[in-house]
Amino acid sequence: MTIDNHNSIKRTSLFRFYEELNEFLPQRQRKTSFRYSYTGTPSVKDTIEAIGIPHVEIDLILVDGKSVDFNYLLEGGELISVYPVFESLDLSDITHLREEPLRETKFVVDVNLGKLAHKLRLLGFDTLYKNDFADDEIVEISLKERRIILTRDKGILKYGEVTHGYWVRSDDLKEQIVEVVSRIQLQNSFKPFTRCSVCNGKLHETDKSSLGDQLQVDVLRDYDLFLLCDGCGKVYWQGSHYDRINEWIKNL
């Protein structure tokens, strides 16, 4: 230990991050133990976020083999092992750092993921998106409505109040939807054709006799099932896009 000019103690701890948490780290720190220096006795949560890992991606922290919570104060010399959210292992005897999964999977999506929001709505997920959402607005919506934040901005997930969020790794739309479906285990929760892909409103069946002035004559003649959005009034029917969407969903 050394004393700096401000009479504060500088300490060093050894950190090791596991699995997908390594994606937040520079190459030299991935899948290996590395030393990290800090001043004073910061919490393990603040230190981990200073290294670059959002707290919502973490489910287990071991300090010298003992499970601790985010409030643990570092003293220097510890070996700190940090693990991501576990999906299947029995970890009942350790300190989980995230709440139980939300009973209803709903999302609020940042300004960089509008196309992903569109795809999630096609799958039937309640997904809020506006191209001018501010970070603090997204956090407020997430907390108030118990929505999972999806973002390409790690900074949003470092807000202390955030409880459920996921940093989307890929910048490719096809990869993004596969990534989110797999990571949050959405495969058995699809409800296609129940949400409007434009406004997120709910869809309900409507009598085509009431749509005479909204659709072309040949559409009304060739199709019988029509869905109306209760938000923006957009009308959906089982045209060629219906088969394409079903094929896309089948391949997810």
Side-chain angles (χ1 to χ4, degrees):
M1 297 183 184
T2 60
I3 306 296
D4 68 11
N5 294 331
H6 294 87
N7 203 33
S8 295
I9 298 176
K10 288 185 177 179
R11 297 179 169 89
T12 300
S13 294
L14 193 64
F15 283 82
R16 173 69 159 89
F17 292 89
Y18 289 85
E19 302 305 329
E20 60 264 28
L21 296 181
N22 284 278
E23 297 170 8
F24 293 94
L25 299 173
Q27 193 66 43
R28 68 182 183 280
Q29 294 178 336
R30 294 179 180 179
K31 300 182 179 180
T32 189
S33 298
F34 61 89
R35 297 193 177 278
Y36 184 81
S37 298
Y38 48 88
T39 301
T41 56
S43 69
V44 69
K45 176 182 179 236
D46 289 344
T47 307
I48 288 171
E49 291 207 320
I51 291 172
I53 314 295
H55 68 276
V56 295
E57 298 257 346
I58 297 167
D59 197 32
L60 172 64
I61 299 173
L62 300 180
V63 175
D64 294 331
K66 180 181 178 181
S67 175
V68 301
D69 64 20
F70 282 131
N71 296 318
Y72 176 86
L73 299 181
L74 298 180
E75 299 175 351
E78 305 100 329
L79 170 59
I80 300 166
S81 305
V82 187
Y83 297 83
V85 177
F86 291 90
E87 298 297 342
S88 58
L89 298 181
D90 180 6
L91 300 173
S92 55
D93 293 331
I94 57 87
T95 302
H96 285 275
L97 300 177
R98 295 178 71 251
E99 297 178 1
E100 291 299 314
L102 300 176
R103 289 185 178 181
E104 181 182 0
T105 304
K106 301 186 294 184
F107 300 101
V108 56
V109 177
D110 80 4
V111 297
N112 301 303
L113 295 173
K115 292 181 179 179
L116 176 61
H118 174 89
K119 295 294 187 183
L120 288 169
R121 290 169 179 172
L122 286 175
L123 293 174
F125 295 103
D126 184 348
T127 307
L128 294 186
Y129 166 79
K130 286 171 56 179
N131 60 11
D132 58 354
F133 269 152
D135 289 0
D136 56 353
E137 188 177 5
I138 290 174
V139 172
E140 182 180 356
I141 291 170
S142 172
L143 295 175
K144 183 178 180 180
E145 302 184 17
R146 294 180 60 78
R147 292 178 179 271
I148 299 170
I149 297 173
L150 297 179
T151 181
R152 288 280 293 155
D153 177 10
K154 302 173 191 175
I156 298 177
L157 300 182
K158 293 183 181 180
Y159 278 66
E161 311 95 313
V162 174
T163 59
H164 293 83
Y166 177 71
W167 174 55
V168 179
R169 275 65 166 172
S170 178
D171 58 5
D172 177 82
L173 177 59
K174 291 182 179 179
E175 293 177 359
Q176 285 175 350
I177 190 64
V178 172
E179 177 184 339
V180 170
V181 166
S182 174
R183 188 68 183 85
I184 307 180
Q185 295 187 325
L186 302 176
Q187 295 91 335
N188 296 322
S189 302
F190 296 165
K191 296 179 181 178
F193 312 110
T194 59
R195 288 270 170 189
C196 176
S197 61
V198 176
C199 79
N200 196 46
K202 291 184 178 180
L203 303 181
H204 61 270
E205 290 189 30
T206 188
D207 188 340
K208 70 176 181 179
S209 64
S210 65
L211 303 173
D213 58 348
Q214 298 184 51
L215 300 175
Q216 297 178 353
V217 173
D218 57 342
V219 172
L220 290 169
R221 181 191 64 230
D222 295 340
Y223 300 97
D224 293 314
L225 177 62
F226 292 88
L227 301 174
L228 181 67
C229 173
D230 62 10
C232 66
K234 182 178 174 62
V235 180
Y236 294 81
W237 62 94
Q238 293 183 349
S240 57
H241 62 286
Y242 177 83
D243 292 332
R244 290 197 301 271
I245 293 172
N246 273 325
E247 185 65 23
W248 167 67
I249 292 173
K250 186 175 71 173
N251 292 326
L252 279 178

